[in-house]
């Protein structure tokens, strides 16, 4: 359920949602921690109060101090060092009458007895008491103003009577902690003892932790906000633009989306944009190439099909044996022409598929060309008395980035083309040399008829063939394949006629590796 919900969210929403979950978990634990900070600090002080109370009771019982004003006064003056770290210690008799208060220790002893009954516990009668450590048996209404005597009265009627009880009183500038306990002698209650301490350090520590948490929450929220903006502005929107770009291409929409700004980026998105754009352009070229090729193939096949149809119709209506033989030869020639077109077209498609899987590497084309020349010499020296001469400018290596078997195919197709135009006993020259601009040039020169076209670039077009005496014997794809293979190697190919004699020159320039 949770993963299914996340799948339907955008990257930005996933980021915000996950941050919200983490933030909620951390916030929950933080709230629990903050809620336990103050009780834990109070508990530590309460334990200290309890130890002092128990120690004081032990001294009172050991010294046999009666819970009357005179004895308590003497006890306070004699043992004031016990309470020097406390703000206030108060004694009550069993009837909850005030009989001693360390706040009076600094007064003249003669006025102690007269002022003792007049001490007003303003902080205990005019402030609301907020109990921190409370037992359910002690009924305290936080909405009422409670005095210490009322607390003692509730305490004396509770089931926890006889155990220390701690509560806190918080005002605007003060945080007081009070612990009370009854004093028993011979299993009879003789009075009550209360310790009051200013515990502002607890409030300060709690406030500091809360302030730290609030500052941290604000800082983290601000960081998340900034990161969300950066994520949306510099990552999510560009990715959305790329998605829209691919959809427009898929749907062949006329809407244009400019991704040049993304292509100019120097990060991974820039690389992705360039790769996507290059891939799209390459796919469009291939689609266009396939469409044009199919159109050209259909056009080329239409002519022999029309000839086949006409010859077959005439063949049915003629009884002349010579004419019938001539028509049969035409039918055979047209069938062979269609077969050659389809065979060459299929081979070209196979070559294109193979090319997409082959990888370029640094190769030395000198031995490759030398090997093709030697193979053709062995065949056509005997067959047509044509000699193929290889020469270079003296270097041992001509390094380019290429595919070895495709370089062989280029040289072989060009030699086939030159041989088809060459007469018996003629020569063909293959020359390899290094030229300026860090390029390697391969020249193939023959002694044939040369090109009849003024614009020699036509010879590299698909299905183009200018052979009136050999019509239908060539598909016109050989030089087009060569042109495509040269382009694959980032090379250039140019055809021209020789100026010194009859014949043709084909020059190929490959970039050096």
């Amino acid at each position: 359920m949770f993963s299914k919900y996340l799948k339907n969210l955008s990257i930005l929403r996933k980021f915000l949602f996950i941050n919200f979950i983490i933030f909620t978990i951390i916030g929950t634990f933080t709230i629990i921690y903050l809620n336990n900070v103050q009780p834990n600090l109070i508990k530590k002080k309460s334990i200290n109060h309890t130890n002092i109370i128990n120690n004081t009771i032990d001294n009172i019982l050991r010294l046999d101090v009666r819970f009357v004003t005179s004895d308590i006064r003497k006890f306070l003056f004699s043992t004031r060092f016990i309470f020097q770290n406390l703000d206030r210690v108060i004694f009550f008799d069993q009837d909850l009458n005030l009989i001693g208060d360390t706040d009076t220790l600094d007064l003249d002893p003669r006025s102690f007895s007269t002022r003792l009954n007049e001490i007003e516990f303003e902080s205990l009668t005019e402030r609301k008491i907020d109990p921190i450590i409370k037992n359910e048996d002690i009924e305290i209404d936080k909405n009422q103003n409670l005095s210490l005597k009322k607390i003692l009265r509730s305490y004396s009627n509770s089931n926890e009577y006889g155990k220390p009880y701690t509560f806190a009183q918080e005002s605007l500038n003060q945080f007081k902690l009070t612990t009370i306990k009854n004093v028993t002698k011979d299993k009879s209650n003789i009075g009550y003892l209360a310790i009051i301490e200013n515990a502002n350090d607890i409030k300060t520590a709690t406030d500091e932790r809360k302030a730290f948490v609030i500052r941290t929450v604000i800082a983290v929220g601000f960081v998340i906000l900034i990161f969300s903006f950066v994520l949306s502005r510099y990552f999510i929107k560009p990715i959305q633009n790329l998605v829209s770009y691919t959809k427009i291409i898929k749907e062949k929409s006329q809407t244009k989306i400019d991704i040049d700004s993304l292509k100019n980026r120097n990060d991974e998105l820039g690389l992705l944009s360039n790769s996507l754009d290059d891939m799209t352009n390459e796919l469009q070229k291939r689609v266009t190439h396939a469409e044009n090729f199919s159109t050209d193939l259909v056009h080329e096949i239409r002519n022999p099909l029309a000839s086949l149809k006409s010859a077959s119709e005439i063949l049915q209506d003629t009884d002349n044996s010579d004419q019938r033989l001539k028509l049969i030869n035409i039918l055979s020639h047209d069938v062979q022409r269609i077969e050659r077109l389809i065979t060459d077209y299929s081979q070209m498609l196979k070559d294109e598929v193979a090319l997409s899987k082959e990888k370029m590497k640094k190769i030395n084309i000198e031995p490759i060309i030398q090997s093709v020349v030697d193979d053709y010499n062995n065949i056509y020296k005997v067959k047509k008395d044509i000699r193929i001469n290889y020469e270079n400018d003296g270097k041992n290596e001509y390094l380019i980035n290429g595919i070895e078997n495709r370089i062989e195919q280029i040289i072989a197709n060009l030699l086939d083309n030159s041989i088809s135009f060459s007469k018996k006993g003629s020569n063909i020259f293959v020359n390899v040399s290094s030229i300026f601009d860090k390029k390697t040039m391969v020249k193939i020169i023959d002694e044939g008829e040369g090109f009849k076209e003024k614009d020699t670039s036509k010879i590299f077009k698909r299905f183009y063939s200018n052979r009136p005496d050999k019509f239908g014997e060539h598909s016109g794809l050989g030089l087009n394949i060569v042109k495509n293979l040269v382009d694959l190697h980032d090379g250039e190919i140019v055809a021209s006629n020789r100026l010194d004699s009859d014949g043709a020159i084909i020059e190929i320039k490959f970039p050096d590796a």
Side-chain angles (χ1 to χ4, degrees):
M1 180 69 179
F2 183 74
S3 59
K4 185 178 180 181
Y5 176 72
L6 277 179
K7 287 181 181 179
N8 298 326
L9 295 178
S10 64
I11 295 177
L12 180 59
R13 290 182 177 177
K14 284 179 182 176
F15 170 78
L16 293 175
F17 181 75
I18 292 173
N19 273 276
F20 173 75
I21 296 297
I22 295 174
F23 206 67
T24 301
I25 294 172
I26 295 175
T28 302
F29 282 105
T30 302
I31 292 171
I32 294 172
Y33 166 73
L34 290 176
N35 288 335
N36 284 278
V37 166
Q38 194 176 65
N40 288 334
L41 293 175
I42 291 175
K43 186 177 181 180
K44 290 181 180 178
K45 286 189 177 291
S46 175
I47 293 172
N48 183 48
H49 288 184
T50 302
N51 291 333
I52 293 174
I53 288 174
N54 291 333
N55 186 37
T56 302
I57 293 174
D58 289 340
N59 281 293
I60 289 173
L61 296 177
R62 180 173 57 82
L63 298 173
D64 196 21
V65 176
R66 293 177 301 159
F67 262 64
V68 294
T69 303
S70 58
D71 283 10
I72 292 298
R73 181 179 63 175
K74 291 177 182 179
F75 177 78
L76 289 175
F77 277 107
S78 63
T79 59
R80 64 168 65 187
F81 64 90
I82 299 177
F83 315 113
Q84 61 184 354
N85 294 325
L86 300 175
D87 294 306
R88 194 174 185 183
V89 179
I90 305 173
F91 291 82
F92 293 89
D93 61 17
Q94 61 181 351
D95 296 324
L96 301 181
N97 296 314
L98 180 63
I99 57 174
D101 189 346
T102 55
D103 272 5
T104 64
L105 292 180
D106 294 331
L107 300 176
D108 191 305
R110 290 174 298 175
S111 62
F112 184 87
S113 60
T114 58
R115 293 180 54 85
L116 194 59
N117 292 327
E118 299 174 2
I119 294 176
E120 296 290 334
F121 298 94
E122 295 176 358
S123 62
L124 297 176
T125 58
E126 297 179 0
R127 307 288 185 185
K128 288 186 178 181
I129 294 174
D130 182 16
I132 303 298
I133 300 176
K134 181 182 72 171
N135 190 281
E136 294 179 356
D137 295 321
I138 303 177
E139 297 181 358
I140 296 177
D141 188 354
K142 294 172 63 175
N143 295 320
Q144 294 181 0
N145 291 331
L146 299 178
S147 66
L148 185 55
K149 288 185 177 182
K150 291 182 179 179
I151 297 295
L152 289 171
R153 194 170 288 112
S154 297
Y155 169 73
S156 63
N157 295 323
S158 69
N159 292 331
E160 295 299 316
Y161 181 70
K163 297 179 182 179
Y165 171 63
T166 301
F167 62 91
Q169 174 195 5
E170 186 173 357
S171 62
L172 183 62
N173 297 320
Q174 285 187 332
F175 185 86
K176 291 186 177 181
L177 201 63
T178 303
T179 302
I180 59 176
K181 186 178 186 299
N182 66 308
V183 181
T184 59
K185 184 178 181 181
D186 297 330
K187 298 183 181 181
S188 299
N189 183 58
I190 61 175
Y192 299 90
L193 179 61
I195 292 179
I196 301 175
E197 181 180 359
N198 285 326
N200 287 334
D201 55 334
I202 293 178
K203 188 174 185 300
T204 301
T206 305
D207 291 343
E208 285 179 353
R209 284 167 173 77
K210 288 181 179 179
F212 172 76
V213 169
I214 291 172
R215 288 196 300 269
T216 303
V217 168
I218 293 174
V220 171
F222 192 65
V223 169
I224 291 175
L225 182 64
I226 293 176
F227 189 80
S228 300
F229 173 77
V230 173
L231 182 66
S232 176
R233 175 68 176 81
Y234 294 99
F235 296 96
I236 304 300
K237 286 186 178 179
I239 291 174
Q240 289 175 344
N241 288 339
L242 290 177
V243 172
S244 300
Y245 177 70
T246 56
K247 285 183 178 179
I248 286 172
I249 294 172
K250 178 182 177 181
E251 297 170 359
K252 297 181 180 180
S253 174
Q254 299 299 320
T255 307
K256 292 184 179 180
I257 291 183
D258 185 15
I259 62 169
D260 290 338
S261 59
L262 296 178
K263 292 166 62 178
N264 293 331
R265 290 175 58 153
N266 295 323
D267 55 12
E268 288 78 2
L269 275 176
L271 294 174
L272 176 62
S273 301
N274 281 290
S275 299
L276 184 62
D277 191 53
D278 292 342
M279 181 186 69
T280 302
N281 292 332
E282 184 64 27
L283 287 174
Q284 288 178 335
K285 286 180 182 178
R286 291 192 180 189
V287 171
T288 303
H289 177 72
E291 290 176 348
N292 293 338
F293 205 101
S294 300
T295 303
D296 293 343
L297 180 64
V298 170
H299 177 74
E300 290 297 320
I301 291 178
R302 186 180 290 116
N303 291 332
L305 284 177
S307 176
L308 279 171
K309 182 179 180 182
S310 300
S312 61
E313 289 174 351
I314 297 173
L315 184 63
Q316 293 178 357
D317 298 334
T318 183
D319 295 329
N320 188 298
S321 57
D322 293 336
Q323 189 175 10
R324 289 177 66 87
L325 181 61
K326 185 177 180 180
L327 291 171
I328 290 172
N329 289 333
I330 292 173
L331 291 172
S332 178
H333 179 272
D334 289 337
V335 169
Q336 290 178 2
R337 183 183 175 191
I338 292 172
E339 182 182 10
R340 190 177 297 108
L341 285 169
I342 294 175
T343 301
D344 290 348
Y345 177 69
S346 299
Q347 185 59 44
M348 190 171 183
L349 291 179
K350 291 179 182 178
D351 290 342
E352 287 186 353
V353 173
L355 282 174
S356 64
K357 298 179 180 179
E358 294 174 344
K359 294 182 179 180
M360 297 279 187
K361 63 180 181 179
K362 186 183 289 188
I363 58 174
N364 180 16
I365 64 172
E366 198 274 338
I368 298 173
I369 296 175
Q370 178 72 62
S371 175
V372 176
V373 169
D374 291 343
D375 290 342
Y376 271 71
N377 263 329
N378 293 332
I379 297 172
Y380 290 99
K381 180 64 178 175
V382 177
K383 189 174 181 179
K384 294 184 65 175
D385 193 24
I386 294 176
R387 179 171 181 78
I388 303 172
N389 302 282
Y390 172 78
E391 57 185 13
N392 58 42
D393 59 358
K395 288 179 65 176
N396 293 325
E397 286 188 340
Y398 300 89
L399 299 176
I400 69 167
N401 288 317
I403 304 170
E404 184 174 336
N405 62 329
R406 299 305 170 184
I407 298 297
E408 291 180 353
Q409 189 176 356
I410 290 172
I411 303 302
N413 283 9
L414 291 177
L415 289 178
D416 284 336
N417 187 72
S418 294
I419 290 169
S420 67
F421 284 99
S422 297
K423 298 178 182 178
K424 188 175 182 179
S426 60
N427 292 295
I428 296 175
F429 302 93
V430 178
N431 178 273
V432 183
S433 61
S434 293
I435 60 174
F436 58 91
D437 293 338
K438 296 182 179 180
K439 290 184 178 181
T440 298
M441 176 178 283
V442 179
K443 286 185 180 180
I444 296 180
I445 306 168
D446 62 49
E447 297 176 343
E449 303 174 2
F451 299 110
K452 298 180 179 61
E453 297 83 1
K454 292 183 179 181
D455 181 9
T456 54
S457 62
K458 291 181 179 179
I459 66 172
F460 298 110
K461 292 182 179 180
R462 286 193 300 269
F463 303 115
Y464 181 86
S465 180
N466 190 3
R467 304 168 187 259
D469 55 333
K470 298 179 181 180
F471 178 75
E473 295 183 8
H474 296 271
S475 64
L477 291 174
L479 291 179
N480 180 256
I481 293 172
V482 170
K483 176 71 166 57
N484 292 335
L485 292 175
V486 171
D487 290 342
L488 176 69
H489 289 77
D490 295 326
E492 303 173 23
I493 184 167
V494 178
S496 61
N497 289 317
R498 296 179 62 176
L499 299 178
D500 54 345
S501 62
D502 292 339
I505 303 175
I506 292 182
E507 298 175 336
I508 306 174
K509 296 178 183 178
F510 293 111
D512 290 344

